[in-house]
Amino acid sequence: MKRQTRESRRSIVRNAWKAAVGLSIGVLSTVAVAADPIRIGLVTTSTGPGSYLGGAEEQTIKLMAETINKQGGVLGRRIELVHYDDGTNADRARTLMQRLVTEDRVSLVIGSSTTPSTLSMADVATRGKVPLISMAGAKVLTEPLRPWLFVIPENDVMALGVMFDHLARHKLTNVALLSSTSGFGRAAREVALELSSKRGDVKVVADETYAAGDTDMSAQLTRIRGNAQVQAVINLDFGNQPAIVTRNHAALGIKAPLYLSHSTAAPKYPELAGPASEGARLAVPSLMVVEQLPDSAPEKAKALEFRNLYQASYKELPHGFHGYGYDALLVAVDAIKRAGSVDRQALRDAIEKTAGLAGVTGEYNYSPTNHGGYVPQSKLRMAEIRNGKFVLID
């Protein structure tokens, strides 16, 4: 019986991957795999404060590459991942990128998981003329446009737009910003201030910051609590510190609801924050709430397909950052197929011509003036933490 169960599980994974990869990428081949592999660099933030982002992305990309290879590879060649962990360290990410370009001689690079690491890798990509597909989402990555850098997730402008829409709809129009001074938090704060000024329907009435590594934000939140105008608090950061903010917010008894960035949208967040996270609100990728989407949602079928195949392999549900890893390799493999080669310039040009490519977190459309991938309409959804789970809200 156990043998039958194992074989049945293998069959589920094999069939699910065959269906998912075949539908999404269309590059599987029955041709025997040639001797020379296609070398793809991979840099993830798999340890350190950002580990819950990069660990998920690393796991998904390795699983997907392995499965593609079992099906015949791409252009009849195996995918060989050359993987490094940047440890949530932007300087290390730059060093690893340099190694991938000059020593490992990869055709393109996927990485990294955070904005600071991606920014440090982007200059190396430009000098080495190597396509770089980032799994970080911030406006500063694509504005100004960098010719060799492409981004997978929706950026902070789109995420904050979804959040501001929700605030305005619920008449929470006076907000306090509480942001990290690190790369993503600093960039997102600037976007929030710009968006508030441009829209005019959500006003920033308090603006507090904290440094990376701070372990208590009670002083900033106490000042926010003392501002009678504040109707909602927006925390802009990633990693472990939003969980600290959440616990401080609850401990001080602040009634204004807490909103957090899409970069916090992972199961690890309510685990770290505990009961204090109840009622916290976030803009999340569809994959986080796929079973709650209406059947008419265009991304539902593909996201469910991916969720089922991942769960069959790892016995746990994937979240948005798994989806970003899936889509990053999807974009890379699709470009290799259309380019018909692994020449770096040809791959860059092919990625830039990507159009209507459906992933599990959205549809990708790049152009010479848009390296952000998404069309203007956001696919993010608002969710609230209830009983430790992400629940869709209006």
Side-chain angles (χ1 to χ4, degrees):
M1 180 64 72
K2 289 182 178 178
R3 178 180 176 80
Q4 289 178 340
T5 301
R6 284 197 298 271
E7 291 182 348
S8 176
R9 188 180 302 133
R10 290 189 186 113
S11 177
I12 290 172
V13 175
R14 187 166 53 248
N15 292 335
W17 269 114
K18 184 176 181 179
V21 177
L23 285 172
S24 304
I25 302 175
V27 295
L28 303 184
S29 169
T30 57
V31 176
V33 177
D36 295 336
I38 297 172
R39 293 170 66 82
I40 296 178
L42 174 62
V43 178
T44 56
T45 303
S46 298
T47 58
S51 60
Y52 71 87
L53 314 178
E57 293 158 352
E58 174 192 347
Q59 200 170 32
T60 298
I61 291 172
K62 286 183 174 178
L63 175 61
M64 188 173 173
E66 179 183 353
T67 305
I68 291 173
N69 286 338
K70 287 179 180 177
Q71 298 292 332
V74 182
L75 303 179
R77 299 167 64 180
R78 290 180 61 254
I79 292 176
E80 180 182 327
L81 293 176
V82 184
H83 173 247
Y84 299 113
D85 170 19
D86 69 25
T88 322
N89 184 313
D91 291 336
R92 176 171 170 75
R94 182 187 300 109
T95 300
L96 295 173
M97 182 68 184
Q98 188 66 44
R99 184 186 302 176
L100 287 168
V101 172
T102 59
E103 298 179 25
D104 298 319
R105 303 194 65 76
V106 298
S107 297
L108 61 83
V109 177
I110 297 173
S112 182
S113 312
T114 68
T115 298
S117 289
T118 298
L119 287 172
S120 70
M121 294 166 67
D123 290 340
V124 182
T126 300
R127 289 196 303 272
K129 298 187 183 304
V130 176
L132 175 61
I133 302 174
S134 173
M135 297 173 287
K139 179 183 175 182
V140 295
L141 297 177
T142 53
E143 295 184 19
L145 186 145
R146 295 170 173 82
W148 293 85
L149 174 62
F150 300 85
V151 171
I152 292 296
E154 296 190 35
N155 64 33
D156 39 17
V157 178
M158 300 178 77
L160 282 166
V162 173
M163 186 187 296
F164 274 38
D165 287 344
H166 188 267
L167 288 163
R169 195 161 58 246
H170 291 272
K171 302 187 185 311
L172 300 172
T173 54
N174 290 336
V175 303
L177 299 183
L178 179 56
S179 316
S180 167
T181 55
S182 64
F184 176 82
R186 183 174 63 252
R189 172 183 171 273
E190 292 173 359
V191 169
L193 291 171
E194 182 181 337
L195 194 61
S196 172
S197 176
K198 183 178 180 181
R199 289 174 55 123
D201 57 351
V202 176
K203 182 180 179 183
V204 177
V205 296
D207 185 11
E208 299 280 347
T209 61
Y210 56 86
D214 284 357
T215 57
D216 190 341
M217 292 65 148
S218 296
Q220 294 91 329
L221 284 165
T222 298
R223 287 193 289 273
I224 289 173
R225 185 181 61 178
N227 187 331
Q229 297 183 77
V230 174
Q231 296 175 307
V233 180
I234 300 175
N235 179 217
L236 300 171
D237 196 2
F238 77 97
N240 299 335
Q241 286 182 294
I244 299 173
V245 169
T246 303
R247 290 196 294 270
N248 292 159
H249 176 271
L252 290 169
I254 297 175
K255 301 301 182 186
L258 179 63
Y259 286 70
L260 298 107
S261 167
H262 63 306
S263 60
T264 310
K268 197 69 174 177
Y269 163 67
E271 287 180 24
L272 290 172
S277 65
E278 289 295 305
R281 299 167 183 172
L282 310 88
V284 302
S286 298
L287 193 60
M288 294 287 296
V289 290
V290 60
E291 74 282 359
Q292 302 171 52
L293 299 179
D295 291 340
S296 59
E299 68 270 38
K300 184 171 184 176
K302 184 175 289 293
L304 275 175
E305 187 177 66
F306 171 62
R307 189 185 72 167
N308 291 340
L309 69 89
Y310 184 88
Q311 191 173 19
S313 297
Y314 290 107
K315 311 300 177 293
E316 63 180 16
L317 292 174
H319 52 75
F321 297 101
H322 292 97
Y324 295 147
Y326 180 102
D327 286 350
L329 189 57
L330 173 74
V331 168
V333 172
D334 176 72
I336 293 169
K337 177 195 174 189
R338 286 186 288 105
S341 82
V342 293
D343 175 77
R344 292 171 173 177
Q345 181 68 54
L347 291 178
R348 194 214 76 90
D349 295 345
I351 295 172
E352 199 170 69
K353 294 177 181 175
T354 300
L357 180 64
V360 298
T361 64
E363 181 181 281
Y364 295 90
N365 297 275
Y366 298 101
S367 74
T369 58
N370 170 31
H371 283 196
Y374 280 98
V375 294
Q377 184 64 40
S378 173
K379 290 290 185 182
L380 294 175
R381 315 265 180 160
M382 284 303 301
E384 184 173 290
I385 304 298
R386 297 177 183 171
N387 298 318
K389 307 294 184 185
F390 291 82
V391 178
L392 275 177
I393 57 176
D394 293 328

